[in-house]
Amino acid sequence: SSRGYNSFWLKQDVPGCLAALSNDCTSVVAAVVMIGTHDAVQAGSTQHVPVADYVENLRDIVSTLKLQLPSSEVVLLTAPCIHEGRLRQEPVLPGKPTRDQGRTNAKLGQYATAMRAVAAESDCVCIDLHRLTSKCELIEGLNWADLLTDGLSLNQAANAAVTPLPPPAPPPPPP
């Protein structure tokens, strides 16, 4: 099975990640959270997280980040669309099941909607990659399907395309 993170596992690891920063949290400008692709696998999988639980996990993650990084912006990125056809053709390992594990763009859309709602209620920036990639173009001339290594994972060109998206406004200077 895949080892990708879901929101439950991320929620468990955020405190340890923040502790690894020691006391240097003031230098963190933004905490970026991109989660949901693995939550959206079929029910019964160890990675599956129902949408209602995903919402609660996101709320906990955002709350922890805001509490521990009070001068930082929390940015939520919805999971981008997947290439369903390619994902169904790509086995995890030769002779093993395909990578799709029940993921569909429609199901990912439910998680994107949930993330947008959590961002709005938490006063966080949300970059909606799902909506941006639903038309298969993120930037004019780039076909989104070509930016996925296996129908799911972003390749270097995809990361480069996502990087220049409008960043959050910098935090105000301390009084």
Side-chain angles (χ1 to χ4, degrees):
S1 74
S2 176
R3 297 283 181 212
Y5 262 61
N6 65 22
S7 60
F8 175 78
W9 295 330
L10 180 61
K11 178 177 82 168
Q12 305 306 311
D13 284 351
V14 165
C17 292
L18 293 171
L21 292 173
S22 303
N23 293 328
D24 195 26
C25 292
T26 57
S27 65
V28 177
V29 175
V32 179
V33 177
M34 181 177 167
I35 197 84
T37 302
H38 298 298
D39 297 79
V41 298
Q42 64 196 7
S45 164
T46 58
Q47 290 181 302
H48 175 71
V49 175
V51 174
D53 294 345
Y54 173 77
V55 167
E56 290 307 313
N57 292 339
L58 277 177
R59 286 177 176 148
D60 288 347
I61 291 165
V62 169
S63 175
T64 300
L65 290 170
K66 286 187 166 214
L67 180 66
Q68 298 296 317
L69 303 170
S71 62
S72 303
E73 186 76 46
V74 176
V75 180
L76 302 180
L77 273 78
T78 65
C81 288
I82 58 174
H83 188 286
E84 292 179 17
R86 189 186 307 148
L87 200 58
R88 288 190 188 104
Q89 296 170 355
E90 291 281 335
V92 175
L93 294 169
K96 297 289 183 184
T98 60
R99 292 182 156 297
D100 76 307
Q101 298 182 33
R103 289 181 191 97
T104 64
N105 285 319
K107 192 182 290 183
L108 283 170
Q110 295 171 10
Y111 289 80
T113 298
M115 182 176 275
R116 287 191 303 272
V118 170
E121 76 184 32
S122 304
D123 197 29
C124 292
V125 171
C126 183
I127 298 175
D128 194 350
L129 291 181
H130 188 80
R131 188 171 288 160
L132 289 168
T133 58
S134 66
K135 296 181 178 126
C136 291
E137 288 198 12
L138 180 59
I139 295 174
E140 189 174 328
L142 290 178
N143 183 333
W144 185 249
D146 294 337
L147 300 177
L148 301 171
T149 60
D150 55 6
L152 175 69
S153 305
L154 306 180
N155 65 21
Q156 285 183 323
N159 283 309
V162 169
T163 301
L165 289 174

